[in-house]
CSV table of all heavy atoms in Angstrom, one decimal:
chain,number,residue,atom,x,y,z
A,18,HIS,N,9.0,18.7,31.9
A,18,HIS,CA,10.0,18.3,30.8
A,18,HIS,C,9.8,19.2,29.6
A,18,HIS,O,10.1,20.4,29.7
A,18,HIS,CB,9.8,16.8,30.5
A,18,HIS,CG,11.0,16.2,29.8
A,18,HIS,ND1,12.3,16.4,30.3
A,18,HIS,CD2,11.1,15.4,28.7
A,18,HIS,CE1,13.1,15.7,29.5
A,18,HIS,NE2,12.4,15.2,28.5
A,33,ASP,N,4.8,17.4,22.7
A,33,ASP,CA,5.6,16.4,23.3
A,33,ASP,C,5.2,15.9,24.7
A,33,ASP,O,5.9,16.0,25.7
A,33,ASP,CB,7.1,16.9,23.4
A,33,ASP,CG,7.8,16.9,22.1
A,33,ASP,OD1,7.2,16.5,21.0
A,33,ASP,OD2,9.0,17.2,22.0
A,58,SER,N,8.0,16.2,18.4
A,58,SER,CA,9.2,16.7,17.7
A,58,SER,C,10.1,15.6,17.2
A,58,SER,O,10.7,15.7,16.2
A,58,SER,CB,10.0,17.6,18.7
A,58,SER,OG,10.4,16.8,19.8
A,59,HIS,N,10.1,14.4,18.0
A,59,HIS,CA,10.9,13.3,17.6
A,59,HIS,C,10.4,12.1,18.4
A,59,HIS,O,9.5,12.2,19.3
A,59,HIS,CB,12.4,13.5,17.8
A,59,HIS,CG,12.8,13.7,19.2
A,59,HIS,ND1,12.4,14.8,19.9
A,59,HIS,CD2,13.6,13.0,20.0
A,59,HIS,CE1,13.0,14.7,21.1
A,59,HIS,NE2,13.7,13.6,21.2
A,60,GLY,N,10.9,10.9,18.2
A,60,GLY,CA,10.3,9.7,18.7
A,60,GLY,C,10.6,9.2,20.1
A,60,GLY,O,10.1,8.2,20.6
A,61,HIS,N,11.5,9.9,20.7
A,61,HIS,CA,12.0,9.4,22.0
A,61,HIS,C,10.9,9.4,23.1
A,61,HIS,O,10.0,10.2,23.1
A,61,HIS,CB,13.2,10.3,22.6
A,61,HIS,CG,14.4,10.1,21.8
A,61,HIS,ND1,15.4,11.0,21.7
A,61,HIS,CD2,14.8,9.0,21.0
A,61,HIS,CE1,16.4,10.6,21.0
A,61,HIS,NE2,16.1,9.4,20.5
A,62,GLU,N,11.0,8.4,24.0
A,62,GLU,CA,10.0,8.1,25.0
A,62,GLU,C,9.6,9.4,25.8
A,62,GLU,O,8.5,9.6,26.1
A,62,GLU,CB,10.5,7.0,25.9
A,62,GLU,CG,9.7,6.8,27.2
A,62,GLU,CD,8.4,6.1,27.0
A,62,GLU,OE1,8.2,5.6,25.9
A,62,GLU,OE2,7.6,6.0,28.0
A,63,ASP,N,10.7,10.2,26.1
A,63,ASP,CA,10.4,11.3,26.9
A,63,ASP,C,9.7,12.5,26.1
A,63,ASP,O,9.7,13.6,26.6
A,63,ASP,CB,11.7,11.8,27.6
A,63,ASP,CG,12.8,12.3,26.6
A,63,ASP,OD1,13.0,11.5,25.7
A,63,ASP,OD2,13.4,13.3,26.8
A,64,HIS,N,9.2,12.1,24.9
A,64,HIS,CA,8.4,13.1,24.1
A,64,HIS,C,7.1,12.6,23.6
A,64,HIS,O,6.3,13.3,23.1
A,64,HIS,CB,9.3,13.6,23.0
A,64,HIS,CG,10.5,14.3,23.5
A,64,HIS,ND1,10.6,15.7,23.6
A,64,HIS,CD2,11.7,13.8,24.0
A,64,HIS,CE1,11.8,16.0,24.1
A,64,HIS,NE2,12.5,14.9,24.4
A,120,HIS,N,19.8,16.0,16.5
A,120,HIS,CA,19.5,15.1,17.6
A,120,HIS,C,19.3,13.7,17.0
A,120,HIS,O,19.9,13.4,16.0
A,120,HIS,CB,18.2,15.5,18.3
A,120,HIS,CG,17.9,14.9,19.6
A,120,HIS,ND1,18.7,15.1,20.7
A,120,HIS,CD2,16.8,14.1,20.0
A,120,HIS,CE1,18.1,14.4,21.8
A,120,HIS,NE2,17.0,13.8,21.3
A,121,SER,N,18.6,12.7,17.6
A,121,SER,CA,18.3,11.4,17.1
A,121,SER,C,16.8,11.2,17.3
A,121,SER,O,16.1,12.0,17.9
A,121,SER,CB,19.2,10.3,17.7
A,121,SER,OG,19.0,10.3,19.1
A,122,SER,N,16.3,10.1,16.7
A,122,SER,CA,14.9,9.8,16.8
A,122,SER,C,14.6,8.4,16.6
A,122,SER,O,14.8,7.8,15.5
A,122,SER,CB,14.1,10.7,15.8
A,122,SER,OG,12.7,10.5,15.8
A,123,VAL,N,14.1,7.7,17.6
A,123,VAL,CA,13.7,6.3,17.5
A,123,VAL,C,12.5,6.2,18.4
A,123,VAL,O,12.4,6.8,19.5
A,123,VAL,CB,14.8,5.3,17.8
A,123,VAL,CG1,15.2,5.4,19.3
A,123,VAL,CG2,14.4,3.9,17.5
A,133,PRO,N,14.7,14.0,13.6
A,133,PRO,CA,14.1,14.9,14.6
A,133,PRO,C,13.9,16.3,14.1
A,133,PRO,O,14.6,16.7,13.2
A,133,PRO,CB,15.1,14.9,15.8
A,133,PRO,CG,16.4,14.7,15.1
A,133,PRO,CD,16.1,13.7,14.0
A,149,GLY,N,12.2,21.5,20.1
A,149,GLY,CA,12.4,20.1,20.4
A,149,GLY,C,13.7,19.8,21.0
A,149,GLY,O,14.3,20.7,21.7
A,150,ASP,N,14.2,18.6,20.9
A,150,ASP,CA,15.6,18.3,21.4
A,150,ASP,C,16.6,18.6,20.3
A,150,ASP,O,16.5,18.1,19.2
A,150,ASP,CB,15.7,16.8,21.7
A,150,ASP,CG,15.1,16.4,23.0
A,150,ASP,OD1,14.4,17.3,23.7
A,150,ASP,OD2,15.2,15.3,23.4
A,151,THR,N,17.5,19.5,20.6
A,151,THR,CA,18.5,19.8,19.5
A,151,THR,C,19.7,20.4,20.1
A,151,THR,O,19.7,21.0,21.2
A,151,THR,CB,17.9,20.8,18.5
A,151,THR,OG1,18.8,21.1,17.4
A,151,THR,CG2,17.5,22.2,19.1
A,177,PHE,N,22.0,15.9,26.7
A,177,PHE,CA,21.3,15.3,25.5
A,177,PHE,C,20.9,16.4,24.5
A,177,PHE,O,20.5,16.1,23.4
A,177,PHE,CB,19.9,14.7,26.0
A,177,PHE,CG,20.1,13.5,26.9
A,177,PHE,CD1,19.6,13.5,28.2
A,177,PHE,CD2,20.8,12.4,26.5
A,177,PHE,CE1,19.7,12.4,29.0
A,177,PHE,CE2,20.9,11.3,27.3
A,177,PHE,CZ,20.4,11.3,28.6
A,178,THR,N,21.0,17.6,24.9
A,178,THR,CA,20.6,18.8,24.0
A,178,THR,C,21.6,19.9,24.3
A,178,THR,O,22.5,19.8,25.2
A,178,THR,CB,19.2,19.3,24.3
A,178,THR,OG1,19.2,19.9,25.6
A,178,THR,CG2,18.1,18.2,24.3
A,200,HIS,N,13.2,20.9,28.9
A,200,HIS,CA,14.2,19.8,28.9
A,200,HIS,C,15.3,20.0,29.9
A,200,HIS,O,16.5,19.9,29.6
A,200,HIS,CB,14.7,19.6,27.5
A,200,HIS,CG,15.0,18.1,27.1
A,200,HIS,ND1,16.2,17.5,27.5
A,200,HIS,CD2,14.3,17.2,26.5
A,200,HIS,CE1,16.2,16.3,27.1
A,200,HIS,NE2,15.0,16.0,26.5
B,27,NI,NI1,15.3,13.1,22.5
Side-chain angles (χ1 to χ4, degrees):
H18 200 49
D33 284 4
S58 64
H59 65 295
H61 289 158
E62 169 74 9
D63 61 314
H64 299 261
H120 191 65
S121 56
S122 179
V123 65
D150 281 7
T151 183
F177 297 119
T178 68
H200 214 274

